[in-house]
Amino acid sequence: MLLMEQTWPDVRAYLERCRTIIIPLGSVEQHGLALPLGTDAFIAQAMAQEAGRRTQRLVAPILAPGMSLYVHMDFPGTISFMPDTYTAMIRDCVASLHRHGFRNFLLVNGHGGNEGCIQNAMAEMGYRLPGMKYTWAQWWRMPEINAREDEVGLGRVGHGGGSEAALIMHVRSGLVKSELFGRDMKEARFRTSQDLVRTHVTETGIIDAQQERATAEIGAELFELTVTRLTAMLADLESPA
Amino acid sequence: MLLMEQTWPDVRAYLERCRTIIIPLGSVEQHGLALPLGTDAFIAQAMAQEAGRRTQRLVAPILAPGMSLYVHMDFPGTISFMPDTYTAMIRDCVASLHRHGFRNFLLVNGHGGNEGCIQNAMAEMGYRLPGMKYTWAQWWRMPEINAREDEVGLGRVGHGGGSEAALIMHVRSGLVKSELFGRDMKEARFRTSQDLVRTHVTETGIIDAQQERATAEIGAELFELTVTRLTAMLADLESPA
Amino acid sequence: MLLMEQTWPDVRAYLERCRTIIIPLGSVEQHGLALPLGTDAFIAQAMAQEAGRRTQRLVAPILAPGMSLYVHMDFPGTISFMPDTYTAMIRDCVASLHRHGFRNFLLVNGHGGNEGCIQNAMAEMGYRLPGMKYTWAQWWRMPEINAREDEVGLGRVGHGGGSEAALIMHVRSGLVKSELFGRDMKEARFRTSQDLVRTHVTETGIIDAQQERATAEIGAELFELTVTRLTAMLADLESPA
Amino acid sequence: MLLMEQTWPDVRAYLERCRTIIIPLGSVEQHGLALPLGTDAFIAQAMAQEAGRRTQRLVAPILAPGMSLYVHMDFPGTISFMPDTYTAMIRDCVASLHRHGFRNFLLVNGHGGNEGCIQNAMAEMGYRLPGMKYTWAQWWRMPEINAREDEVGLGRVGHGGGSEAALIMHVRSGLVKSELFGRDMKEARFRTSQDLVRTHVTETGIIDAQQERATAEIGAELFELTVTRLTAMLADLESPA
Amino acid sequence: MLLMEQTWPDVRAYLERCRTIIIPLGSVEQHGLALPLGTDAFIAQAMAQEAGRRTQRLVAPILAPGMSLYVHMDFPGTISFMPDTYTAMIRDCVASLHRHGFRNFLLVNGHGGNEGCIQNAMAEMGYRLPGMKYTWAQWWRMPEINAREDEVGLGRVGHGGGSEAALIMHVRSGLVKSELFGRDMKEARFRTSQDLVRTHVTETGIIDAQQERATAEIGAELFELTVTRLTAMLADLESPA
Amino acid sequence: MLLMEQTWPDVRAYLERCRTIIIPLGSVEQHGLALPLGTDAFIAQAMAQEAGRRTQRLVAPILAPGMSLYVHMDFPGTISFMPDTYTAMIRDCVASLHRHGFRNFLLVNGHGGNEGCIQNAMAEMGYRLPGMKYTWAQWWRMPEINAREDEVGLGRVGHGGGSEAALIMHVRSGLVKSELFGRDMKEARFRTSQDLVRTHVTETGIIDAQQERATAEIGAELFELTVTRLTAMLADLESPA
């Protein structure tokens, strides 16, 4: 149910039965020696697409690259929009869809750096556009994901960590160089911050992360947990207020 | 140690021994029937000021109002900057201070709606300005605060909830109308979201909150926990990388 | 009558009887060896607050820092918003208040560098928002102030000059280092301009100014003259068109 | 050779031998009853990807949706960025890549509405960033394409016309509803303009177009002509100035 | 019929009979050794003015300088607005006129670098403002101009070429230093692009151009061809849709 | 000495002897029943041009329309840039000229509504660009003008008042409908403000003004006084700091 694969009369027909759309958001950002630059985008896209398939809900084109103005910019290949640009992108995309009659927005975000832009864009759209409802999901903040991470000893997400590795192994296995897992995994040293500080990162680009325990099987589990949650969120979003 | 109360030669002298500044951020936003519009700002200001006093670190002028483009705008008196404006304010403030030689920035945020702007502004400044380190603190996300909230049965923060009420009772007791605590505390109905949705709020403006158990004593405790944490963050921020 | 100290039902009640708000604007800017960085803000805040107290009119939170992209930026501690930022701040603040029903706006500006932003922001708001009236006051442009300055030989304002010194001595006497008055008071050399030119300023930061004759008593006089004028402006602003 | 499928060490290695990148640009815009909303994006992506494959040159993630603030917005499903947003997107993307060392940029545009944004963004980047060379290609403006269109009687492009239909039949045949070709093909009435005027369009969304003669075979021909041209442009772009 | 020479009651009277306005756009940009910086502006202004005179249609003030962020900026005297600025200028000008009741806009552009800004500004205005029609003309893209250029052997336009020289000789003959025609006319070397690349230009600033055959007589012919076309475009623009 | 009439080698030669430029700024704004919309622009242009002629200094193209978001927008024909747009225009123009080596900027402003934009743009440019000096002139604020106004009983400027009428009679006499002077000259009623308030204006558009005493002779006098002053300002601007 990708919007881009529909004709406009298809969308007109869809809007007669349903006013919901799923918007995936990703990044194009270094993920260490073993994972591709598109990791966040591939994962978010796959999750959104599977949730859309199961619920017969439309999926908008992914907004990627994302906002990556962190240490990641020092690694070749990372592309970042400025925060104002990415915020405007989300706003414009939502405003276009709202104009056609979409009212329920589920954003599926694959990249922590996008959070500020999402918050700002959606607050402004919720303020300006009448009658809309929205929510957003980030797999690494879901309690069921965190519980499973703890059980299998993956550790929490960091950057380019075990869970991400597992998910991308499930979603796009051919792109993972698992033989490079765990090389040079020095820890970042700066600790007080909720944020990244420029001079504190391992040489590989990985932060606070353990990749060695990642497997495609665990990735499939985390993926299923997330899609299940997304499905529930869609139902909630569409329930009468 | 308020920057605004210094002369410029005072600041020049300060910079010879220390390159750290504390920046409080607040809001001007409805907080229900009992708490003043400046609740977030008063709390953040007091925390920043006390941390500055103990560590002899300068405190910049508070950035308030903040970003409040939510249901709060439907309640008289709420003032919100647009997200782009508030983001630019943080950027400009940090850039001015960086120009004078400040390099370590501790942001003390009193309002959840500001998070996106802080993330976006600081990511951009960290990217553009050489040699800076920053971190930011939000009392309601500190584990020691959450632990104490659980112990005394305050519940987590919501909006205008028990912890906020306790803190403002400690900081500016004269402004609290505690006789109005808890009136008309209907729950918000929309549940999937990390975000607020416009049509779901109690008539008082309070969300998911219990104010009745708030006391100035508990406020003093939470305040002390936060300031202790801020002091540690400052030390960490100033330690060699 | 500070807005930030009210609850939202207080503001709702206020709006039933009155649609006027006073907005102070200041700066965080060097004022020479003897006066604090917050001089303009402290003065504007005190004037607005006293006018509000006498007339029982609400006072919005001060917009400070202000726009100080002049030589002042070469002195440690000066914080400036970019002109576009400060203009947007005024616009957003006025738009929020207009949304709640405020219609009469009295801006009390304490800093000459803010004038362009005030003019631009208010012109745009006057153009976009229906039914609003506004005016703005700057004490150093009031004829009665200028007359008194001439009588007591204070000279016109310059930057950090005698009148400002007198006013801050009245408003926040503890912050003034009067023993440093007048040191190194070389004149600025560039003369044709209504504007400041970067390379022309004394080493102290003071421009065209005489501080030595400033006293708290003269400050009290100038303060009273200004507040009286503000009170009259409020009455005029609220009179039927 | 998709950038998103590489790791950052892959890109570092690539940059040692080559400083060229291909950037596809598309749209999400109604294309009549028979063609999908993603038509422009699918075509540009396929062309860029095939040119990259033949020359072993990297392809950046596609920038889609594009700028479609025309009559197309009246048809459900069209998503448009504002012109300022899309211009900033191109700028940010190019600036990120330039930072890593990319110097030769080939933009492959699939959507006429993007032209203004491309021109503006690339002019500014060419002005600000040292040492860069760029060029951009639009298949419908290539003389060899126009010659072939004339030979096979497809007519020039219009919107959603025969050439686009042929190309998308070649690239993503499963998405074309060729049984709906040509229905209700009334002509647009307004004629002086190089531009679209809002009230002048057929009911299907198709403008000045003949779809009936489109076949996948002609699409394959046009595709091959374009990719051959792109390959030559890449060689030219990399030749010493 | 220059708008600037009318009083507001003149314009009110005009709007009762006609809702059309002509807007010329130019540049202030180097045009080689022989032609003045204002070449594009003088030509567009004269064309617009003559079309206005013949049809009794109002002509708005010219928008010049234009967008010239190309190699031209390396030649003293070129003034360029940033693309975002020039786009906003066109938007604001059209919005002001639309507010007064103008509905038919003919833009007469004298400078290729402005095209992106015109496209972006007019697309956005067409999207936002109800009931407007617009079209834009560029003499060097008119088939009748190109045909005449071929007949007299002037070659196509390049930058500062024969046609421009001829037109400015017709319009402002006193400003042309025809004795410098053709000096140092080395060709630009970079050929794949529709665009200019910074390091590829002759030392005179002229690109791909032959000035030697320019005469005021040919200029008069091209001018007449253009004005005739503009007159037809005005009639078309005002015809019922 | 109009910049637009020079070739780039002319400007290169000029810069070898002088780094000064004069920039006129105007408006396109209603000036009552008798004066043309371009009044401010024609006056500023003529003053700048005459000062340039006498001193052999270059004059940049006028920036007009200006910022007129006041009651004037309710009168047909007024064109206003938004404040942010006009500020950016001044910035871009100055930055282009600074790039070529201009360092001394004299702005000759003909329209009070532009003041905020000038202040903001020049403060930012003075802050960002090294080595520049600037000043700006407004004839209606010059003491010698005010003295002469008092002597001949013209009254101070208002909007479209006697001095403006006299000046435009001197500069472009053919455009003045002096037979309409003074019709319907009701006073504006709102009095506290330094600013205009939307609902307070006469029906003619004239504010606080007396046109009847205006003559071309007085206009010539005021014109001469202004140009003399401009000449002195240029000398001062070019004197060593």
Side-chain angles (χ1 to χ4, degrees):
Chain A
M1 297 286 292
L2 298 179
L3 178 81
M4 287 177 77
E5 298 188 349
Q6 317 294 311
T7 65
W8 71 260
D10 295 336
V11 179
R12 186 178 53 184
Y14 175 88
L15 281 163
E16 281 165 18
R17 68 172 173 89
C18 172
R19 298 188 165 267
T20 299
I21 193 143
I22 304 169
I23 306 178
L25 303 101
S27 79
V28 177
E29 177 181 286
Q30 71 88 10
H31 276 76
L33 306 180
L35 309 188
L37 288 153
T39 294
D40 295 341
F42 295 136
I43 292 172
Q45 176 70 31
M47 288 169 169
Q49 206 159 335
E50 179 61 15
R53 196 190 60 76
R54 291 190 195 171
T55 58
Q56 292 297 296
R57 293 296 175 261
L58 275 177
V59 179
I62 190 166
L63 296 176
M67 208 294 281
S68 299
L69 284 192
Y70 294 102
V71 281
H72 313 301
M73 283 299 287
D74 292 337
F75 294 82
T78 301
I79 297 176
S80 179
F81 292 118
M82 299 304 293
D84 286 353
T85 306
Y86 198 62
T87 305
M89 287 167 62
I90 302 170
R91 281 200 311 254
D92 291 356
C93 181
V94 167
S96 291
L97 292 164
H98 184 274
R99 179 182 165 97
H100 299 309
F102 290 95
R103 288 297 177 271
N104 307 314
F105 297 83
L106 172 62
L107 282 71
V108 178
N109 183 28
H111 170 53
N114 294 343
E115 286 182 300
C117 300
I118 296 172
Q119 182 187 6
N120 286 353
M122 297 311 291
E124 188 167 336
M125 288 298 96
Y127 180 69
R128 291 193 189 283
L129 302 178
M132 66 177 279
K133 292 199 293 186
Y134 68 91
T135 187
W136 43 301
Q138 309 190 123
W139 60 265
W140 62 92
R141 301 225 167 165
M142 294 176 180
E144 56 271 44
I145 294 286
N146 296 154
R148 194 69 191 121
E149 286 173 325
D150 290 346
E151 285 169 21
V152 297
L154 278 174
R156 292 294 161 84
V157 65
H159 179 74
S163 303
E164 273 187 332
L167 278 163
I168 191 70
M169 288 172 89
H170 171 62
V171 167
R172 294 289 299 270
S173 59
L175 298 178
V176 179
K177 303 181 179 180
S178 54
E179 70 279 12
L180 297 177
F181 274 1
R183 286 221 200 149
D184 185 27
M185 285 297 149
K186 281 178 283 189
E187 281 199 358
R189 277 168 295 170
F190 191 62
R191 296 250 129 222
T192 48
S193 177
Q194 294 158 301
D195 311 293
L196 298 173
V197 169
R198 300 207 71 208
T199 49
H200 300 80
V201 72
T202 65
E203 286 171 26
T204 59
I206 297 303
I207 302 171
D208 274 344
Q210 298 160 283
Q211 298 175 324
E212 300 87 332
R213 300 197 191 169
T215 65
E217 289 68 35
I218 300 175
E221 270 185 70
L222 301 179
F223 188 83
E224 183 59 32
L225 286 170
T226 304
V227 174
T228 302
R229 172 68 157 249
L230 295 178
T231 309
M233 290 173 81
L234 284 165
D236 202 6
L237 194 62
E238 294 181 359
S239 67
Chain B
M1 297 284 293
L2 298 180
L3 179 81
M4 287 176 77
E5 299 188 348
Q6 316 294 314
T7 65
W8 71 259
D10 295 336
V11 178
R12 187 178 54 183
Y14 175 88
L15 280 163
E16 280 164 21
R17 68 172 172 88
C18 173
R19 298 188 164 269
T20 299
I21 194 143
I22 304 169
I23 306 177
L25 304 100
S27 78
V28 177
E29 179 180 285
Q30 70 89 9
H31 276 75
L33 306 179
L35 309 189
L37 288 153
T39 294
D40 296 341
F42 295 135
I43 293 172
Q45 176 70 31
M47 288 169 169
Q49 206 159 332
E50 179 60 15
R53 196 190 60 76
R54 291 190 195 174
T55 58
Q56 293 296 297
R57 294 295 174 263
L58 276 177
V59 179
I62 190 166
L63 297 176
M67 207 293 283
S68 299
L69 285 192
Y70 294 101
V71 279
H72 312 301
M73 283 300 287
D74 293 337
F75 294 81
T78 301
I79 297 176
S80 179
F81 293 119
M82 298 303 293
D84 287 353
T85 305
Y86 198 63
T87 305
M89 288 167 61
I90 302 170
R91 281 200 312 254
D92 291 357
C93 182
V94 167
S96 290
L97 292 164
H98 184 274
R99 179 183 165 96
H100 298 309
F102 290 95
R103 289 296 177 270
N104 307 314
F105 297 82
L106 171 62
L107 283 71
V108 178
N109 182 29
H111 170 52
N114 294 343
E115 287 183 299
C117 299
I118 296 172
Q119 182 186 7
N120 286 353
M122 296 311 290
E124 189 167 335
M125 288 297 96
Y127 180 70
R128 291 192 191 283
L129 301 178
M132 67 176 278
K133 293 200 291 186
Y134 68 92
T135 187
W136 42 303
Q138 309 190 124
W139 60 264
W140 63 92
R141 301 226 167 165
M142 294 175 180
E144 57 270 44
I145 295 287
N146 296 154
R148 193 71 190 119
E149 288 173 323
D150 290 347
E151 285 169 20
V152 297
L154 279 173
R156 291 297 162 81
V157 66
H159 178 74
S163 304
E164 274 187 331
L167 279 163
I168 191 69
M169 288 172 88
H170 170 63
V171 167
R172 296 287 299 270
S173 58
L175 300 177
V176 179
K177 304 182 178 179
S178 53
E179 71 278 12
L180 297 176
F181 275 180
R183 285 223 198 144
D184 186 25
M185 284 297 149
K186 280 178 285 187
E187 282 200 357
R189 276 167 294 170
F190 191 62
R191 298 246 130 227
T192 49
S193 179
Q194 295 158 300
D195 310 292
L196 300 173
V197 169
R198 301 205 69 206
T199 49
H200 301 80
V201 72
T202 65
E203 286 171 27
T204 59
I206 297 302
I207 302 170
D208 273 345
Q210 298 161 282
Q211 298 175 322
E212 298 86 334
R213 300 198 192 169
T215 65
E217 290 68 35
I218 300 175
E221 270 185 71
L222 301 180
F223 187 82
E224 182 60 30
L225 286 170
T226 304
V227 174
T228 302
R229 172 66 158 251
L230 295 178
T231 309
M233 289 174 83
L234 284 165
D236 201 5
L237 194 63
E238 294 182 358
S239 67
Chain C
M1 297 285 292
L2 298 180
L3 179 80
M4 287 176 76
E5 299 188 349
Q6 317 295 313
T7 65
W8 71 259
D10 295 337
V11 178
R12 187 177 54 182
Y14 175 88
L15 281 162
E16 279 163 21
R17 68 172 173 92
C18 173
R19 297 188 165 267
T20 300
I21 193 144
I22 305 169
I23 307 177
L25 303 100
S27 78
V28 177
E29 179 180 285
Q30 71 89 9
H31 276 75
L33 306 180
L35 309 188
L37 289 152
T39 294
D40 296 342
F42 295 134
I43 293 172
Q45 176 70 31
M47 288 169 169
Q49 207 160 332
E50 179 60 15
R53 195 189 61 77
R54 292 190 195 174
T55 58
Q56 293 297 297
R57 292 297 174 261
L58 275 177
V59 179
I62 190 166
L63 296 176
M67 207 294 281
S68 299
L69 284 192
Y70 295 101
V71 282
H72 313 301
M73 283 300 287
D74 292 338
F75 294 81
T78 301
I79 297 176
S80 178
F81 292 119
M82 299 303 294
D84 286 354
T85 305
Y86 198 63
T87 305
M89 287 166 62
I90 302 170
R91 281 200 313 253
D92 292 355
C93 180
V94 167
S96 291
L97 292 164
H98 184 274
R99 179 183 166 96
H100 298 309
F102 290 95
R103 288 295 177 272
N104 306 315
F105 296 83
L106 171 62
L107 283 71
V108 178
N109 182 29
H111 170 53
N114 294 343
E115 286 182 299
C117 300
I118 296 172
Q119 182 186 7
N120 287 353
M122 296 311 291
E124 189 168 335
M125 288 298 95
Y127 181 69
R128 291 194 191 283
L129 302 178
M132 66 177 277
K133 292 199 293 185
Y134 68 90
T135 187
W136 43 300
Q138 309 190 123
W139 60 265
W140 63 92
R141 302 225 166 164
M142 294 176 180
E144 56 270 44
I145 295 285
N146 296 154
R148 193 71 191 119
E149 287 173 325
D150 291 346
E151 287 168 20
V152 298
L154 278 174
R156 293 295 162 81
V157 65
H159 178 75
S163 304
E164 274 186 331
L167 279 162
I168 191 71
M169 287 172 89
H170 170 62
V171 167
R172 295 288 298 269
S173 59
L175 299 178
V176 180
K177 304 181 180 181
S178 53
E179 69 279 12
L180 297 177
F181 273 1
R183 285 221 199 146
D184 186 26
M185 284 297 149
K186 282 178 284 187
E187 280 200 358
R189 277 166 294 170
F190 191 62
R191 299 246 128 227
T192 49
S193 177
Q194 296 158 300
D195 311 292
L196 299 173
V197 169
R198 303 205 69 208
T199 50
H200 300 80
V201 73
T202 65
E203 287 171 27
T204 59
I206 297 303
I207 302 171
D208 273 346
Q210 297 162 283
Q211 298 176 323
E212 299 86 333
R213 300 196 191 170
T215 65
E217 289 67 35
I218 301 175
E221 272 186 71
L222 301 180
F223 187 83
E224 182 59 30
L225 286 170
T226 303
V227 174
T228 302
R229 173 66 158 251
L230 295 179
T231 308
M233 289 174 82
L234 284 165
D236 202 5
L237 194 62
E238 293 182 359
S239 68
Chain D
M1 298 284 293
L2 299 180
L3 179 81
M4 287 177 78
E5 298 188 350
Q6 316 295 311
T7 64
W8 71 260
D10 295 337
V11 178
R12 185 176 57 180
Y14 175 88
L15 281 163
E16 280 164 19
R17 68 173 173 88
C18 173
R19 297 186 164 270
T20 300
I21 193 142
I22 304 169
I23 306 177
L25 304 100
S27 79
V28 177
E29 178 180 287
Q30 70 88 8
H31 276 76
L33 305 180
L35 309 189
L37 289 154
T39 293
D40 296 341
F42 295 135
I43 292 172
Q45 176 71 31
M47 287 171 169
Q49 206 160 333
E50 179 60 15
R53 196 190 60 77
R54 291 190 195 174
T55 58
Q56 292 296 296
R57 293 294 173 265
L58 276 177
V59 179
I62 190 166
L63 296 176
M67 207 294 281
S68 299
L69 284 192
Y70 294 102
V71 280
H72 312 302
M73 283 299 287
D74 292 337
F75 295 81
T78 301
I79 297 175
S80 180
F81 293 119
M82 299 303 292
D84 286 353
T85 305
Y86 198 63
T87 304
M89 287 167 62
I90 302 171
R91 280 201 312 254
D92 291 355
C93 181
V94 167
S96 291
L97 292 164
H98 184 274
R99 179 183 165 97
H100 299 308
F102 290 94
R103 288 297 177 271
N104 307 314
F105 296 82
L106 172 61
L107 282 72
V108 179
N109 182 29
H111 169 53
N114 294 343
E115 287 182 300
C117 300
I118 296 172
Q119 182 187 5
N120 286 354
M122 296 311 290
E124 189 168 336
M125 289 297 95
Y127 180 68
R128 291 193 190 282
L129 302 178
M132 67 176 279
K133 291 200 294 187
Y134 68 91
T135 187
W136 42 302
Q138 309 190 121
W139 62 263
W140 62 92
R141 300 224 167 164
M142 294 175 181
E144 56 270 44
I145 294 285
N146 295 153
R148 193 71 191 119
E149 287 174 324
D150 290 347
E151 285 169 20
V152 298
L154 279 173
R156 292 295 161 81
V157 66
H159 178 75
S163 304
E164 273 188 330
L167 279 163
I168 192 68
M169 288 173 88
H170 171 61
V171 167
R172 296 287 300 269
S173 58
L175 299 177
V176 179
K177 303 182 178 179
S178 53
E179 70 279 11
L180 297 176
F181 274 1
R183 284 220 201 147
D184 185 26
M185 285 298 149
K186 283 179 283 186
E187 282 199 359
R189 277 167 294 171
F190 191 62
R191 297 248 129 226
T192 48
S193 178
Q194 294 158 301
D195 311 292
L196 300 173
V197 170
R198 302 206 69 207
T199 49
H200 300 81
V201 71
T202 64
E203 286 171 26
T204 59
I206 298 302
I207 302 170
D208 273 346
Q210 298 160 284
Q211 298 176 324
E212 300 87 334
R213 298 196 193 171
T215 65
E217 289 68 36
I218 300 175
E221 271 186 71
L222 300 180
F223 187 83
E224 181 60 30
L225 285 169
T226 304
V227 174
T228 301
R229 173 66 157 251
L230 295 179
T231 309
M233 288 174 83
L234 284 165
D236 202 4
L237 193 64
E238 293 181 359
S239 68
Chain E
M1 298 283 293
L2 299 180
L3 179 81
M4 288 176 76
E5 299 187 349
Q6 317 294 311
T7 64
W8 72 259
D10 295 338
V11 179
R12 185 177 55 181
Y14 175 88
L15 281 163
E16 279 164 20
R17 68 173 172 88
C18 174
R19 297 186 165 269
T20 299
I21 193 142
I22 305 170
I23 306 177
L25 304 101
S27 79
V28 177
E29 177 180 287
Q30 71 88 9
H31 276 77
L33 306 180
L35 309 188
L37 288 153
T39 293
D40 296 341
F42 296 135
I43 293 171
Q45 176 71 30
M47 288 170 169
Q49 206 158 336
E50 179 60 16
R53 197 190 60 77
R54 291 190 195 173
T55 57
Q56 292 297 296
R57 292 294 174 265
L58 275 177
V59 179
I62 190 166
L63 296 175
M67 208 294 282
S68 299
L69 285 192
Y70 294 101
V71 281
H72 312 301
M73 283 299 287
D74 292 338
F75 295 81
T78 302
I79 297 176
S80 179
F81 293 118
M82 299 303 293
D84 286 353
T85 305
Y86 198 62
T87 305
M89 288 166 62
I90 302 170
R91 281 200 312 253
D92 291 355
C93 180
V94 167
S96 291
L97 292 164
H98 185 274
R99 178 182 166 97
H100 299 308
F102 290 95
R103 289 296 177 270
N104 306 315
F105 296 82
L106 172 61
L107 282 73
V108 178
N109 183 29
H111 169 54
N114 294 343
E115 286 182 301
C117 299
I118 296 171
Q119 182 185 5
N120 286 353
M122 296 311 291
E124 189 168 336
M125 288 298 95
Y127 180 69
R128 291 193 190 282
L129 302 178
M132 67 176 279
K133 291 200 294 186
Y134 67 92
T135 187
W136 42 301
Q138 308 189 123
W139 61 265
W140 63 91
R141 301 226 167 163
M142 294 176 181
E144 55 271 44
I145 295 285
N146 296 153
R148 193 70 191 121
E149 286 173 324
D150 291 346
E151 286 169 20
V152 298
L154 279 174
R156 293 295 161 81
V157 67
H159 178 75
S163 304
E164 273 187 331
L167 279 163
I168 192 69
M169 288 172 88
H170 171 62
V171 167
R172 296 288 298 270
S173 59
L175 298 178
V176 179
K177 303 182 178 179
S178 55
E179 69 280 11
L180 297 176
F181 275 0
R183 284 220 199 149
D184 186 26
M185 285 297 150
K186 282 180 282 186
E187 281 199 359
R189 278 166 295 170
F190 190 63
R191 299 245 127 228
T192 47
S193 178
Q194 294 157 301
D195 312 290
L196 299 173
V197 169
R198 302 206 68 208
T199 50
H200 300 81
V201 73
T202 66
E203 287 172 25
T204 59
I206 297 303
I207 302 170
D208 274 346
Q210 298 160 286
Q211 297 177 323
E212 300 87 334
R213 298 196 192 170
T215 65
E217 290 67 35
I218 300 175
E221 270 186 71
L222 300 181
F223 187 84
E224 182 60 30
L225 285 170
T226 304
V227 174
T228 303
R229 172 67 158 250
L230 295 178
T231 309
M233 289 173 82
L234 284 164
D236 202 4
L237 195 62
E238 294 181 359
S239 67
Chain F
M1 299 284 293
L2 298 180
L3 179 81
M4 287 177 77
E5 298 188 349
Q6 316 294 311
T7 65
W8 71 259
D10 296 336
V11 179
R12 186 177 56 182
Y14 175 89
L15 281 163
E16 280 165 19
R17 69 171 172 90
C18 173
R19 296 186 166 271
T20 299
I21 193 142
I22 304 168
I23 307 177
L25 303 101
S27 79
V28 177
E29 179 179 285
Q30 71 87 9
H31 276 76
L33 305 180
L35 309 188
L37 289 153
T39 293
D40 296 340
F42 295 136
I43 293 172
Q45 176 70 31
M47 287 170 169
Q49 206 159 333
E50 180 60 16
R53 196 190 60 76
R54 292 189 194 173
T55 57
Q56 293 297 295
R57 294 296 175 261
L58 276 177
V59 179
I62 191 167
L63 297 176
M67 206 295 281
S68 299
L69 285 192
Y70 294 101
V71 279
H72 313 301
M73 285 299 289
D74 292 338
F75 294 81
T78 301
I79 297 176
S80 178
F81 293 119
M82 299 303 293
D84 286 353
T85 305
Y86 199 62
T87 304
M89 287 167 62
I90 302 170
R91 279 200 315 253
D92 291 356
C93 181
V94 167
S96 290
L97 293 164
H98 184 274
R99 178 184 166 97
H100 298 309
F102 290 95
R103 289 295 176 271
N104 306 315
F105 296 82
L106 172 62
L107 281 72
V108 179
N109 183 29
H111 169 53
N114 294 343
E115 286 182 299
C117 300
I118 296 172
Q119 181 186 8
N120 286 353
M122 297 311 291
E124 187 167 337
M125 288 297 96
Y127 180 70
R128 291 192 190 283
L129 302 178
M132 67 177 279
K133 291 199 294 187
Y134 68 91
T135 187
W136 42 301
Q138 308 191 123
W139 62 264
W140 63 92
R141 301 226 166 164
M142 294 177 181
E144 56 270 44
I145 294 285
N146 295 154
R148 194 71 191 118
E149 287 173 324
D150 291 347
E151 286 168 20
V152 298
L154 278 174
R156 291 296 160 82
V157 66
H159 178 75
S163 303
E164 273 187 333
L167 279 163
I168 191 71
M169 288 172 90
H170 170 62
V171 167
R172 296 289 299 270
S173 59
L175 299 178
V176 179
K177 303 182 177 179
S178 53
E179 70 278 12
L180 297 176
F181 274 180
R183 285 221 199 148
D184 186 25
M185 284 298 148
K186 281 178 286 189
E187 282 200 359
R189 278 166 294 169
F190 190 62
R191 295 252 131 221
T192 48
S193 177
Q194 295 158 301
D195 311 292
L196 299 172
V197 169
R198 302 207 70 205
T199 49
H200 301 81
V201 72
T202 65
E203 285 172 28
T204 60
I206 297 302
I207 302 171
D208 273 345
Q210 298 161 282
Q211 298 176 323
E212 299 87 333
R213 300 198 191 168
T215 66
E217 289 67 36
I218 299 175
E221 269 186 72
L222 300 180
F223 188 83
E224 182 61 31
L225 285 170
T226 304
V227 174
T228 302
R229 173 67 158 251
L230 295 179
T231 309
M233 289 175 82
L234 284 165
D236 202 5
L237 194 63
E238 294 182 359
S239 67

